Amino acid sequence: VRWRGDHFVDCSVGDEMGVDAGVFALYFGLFKKEVREFIAKRIEREGLTKPSPMRSHEGRHDKRLMPPLTRFSPDYHNAVWPHLGLAYLNGLKRLGRDYSNHKAAVEAVVMKYRNFVEVLDPEGGIYTTWAHSSDHGLTMAAGLYLELALD
């Protein structure tokens, strides 16, 4: 993982933002507040919290660089990961930033599916391929939500 001034790069190829590296730096309070603010601003600027937090990648992965089995679910890393979004919101909370709109978007997903699903497609449906079935009860996400909701 390498720092590039306003984002981390966690791939050995290219200079694309490593979203999960930045989110967990926010969540765990790693680095100086100024660095965490840069991360949050970049994530927002890239629109990675739309339609709901959190898209895990700002573009499409080059399929030629994917391991063979990953090619069976090529859009998994371009989808919406609610648990990553909840870690991000907890990071925003620790920064003292407003996260209420993002929290409402995550809550809408939870209410729609009546559970914490693992991953959503870009249209908000449960991400599924012939080779992948999303978890419909991701306890990690439930714990992150409780952490966010409880003071």
Side-chain angles (χ1 to χ4, degrees):
V1 176
R2 299 174 307 277
W3 177 246
R4 294 287 193 238
D6 68 349
H7 68 284
F8 288 102
V9 175
D10 61 0
C11 179
S12 61
V13 181
D15 195 42
E16 295 176 7
M17 177 171 49
V19 177
D20 47 352
V23 165
F24 286 109
L26 288 170
Y27 177 75
F28 289 112
L30 305 175
F31 309 103
K32 294 178 182 178
K33 185 175 182 177
E34 175 183 291
V35 171
R36 289 179 282 134
E37 286 287 351
F38 279 130
I39 295 166
K41 287 176 186 172
R42 175 71 187 262
I43 287 171
E44 295 292 334
R45 185 173 71 236
E46 296 296 332
L48 296 167
T49 58
K50 308 283 188 244
S52 70
M54 180 97 216
R55 286 191 4 251
S56 60
H57 191 262
E58 59 183 322
R60 299 190 68 79
H61 288 286
D62 184 341
K63 291 181 184 173
R64 295 170 300 164
L65 302 175
M66 291 180 178
L69 291 178
T70 305
R71 295 175 190 172
F72 292 126
S73 295
D75 293 323
Y76 178 75
H77 291 284
N78 299 325
V80 175
W81 295 4
H83 69 285
L84 191 61
L86 287 162
Y88 175 67
L89 299 185
N90 277 294
L92 291 181
K93 179 179 178 181
R94 289 184 179 101
L95 278 174
R97 296 184 75 178
D98 180 38
Y99 57 89
S100 57
N101 288 338
H102 296 318
K103 182 177 177 239
V106 171
E107 288 171 338
V109 170
V110 172
M111 294 308 293
K112 178 178 180 180
Y113 295 109
R114 296 293 198 210
N115 214 334
F116 291 90
V117 296
E118 174 192 11
V119 63
L120 304 168
D121 64 32
E123 292 77 38
I126 295 176
Y127 180 83
T128 306
T129 70
W130 69 271
H132 180 92
S133 178
S134 293
D135 188 346
H136 287 254
L138 193 62
T139 56
M140 176 185 174
L144 287 165
Y145 180 78
L146 285 174
E147 182 179 350
L148 184 67
L150 303 173
D151 284 329

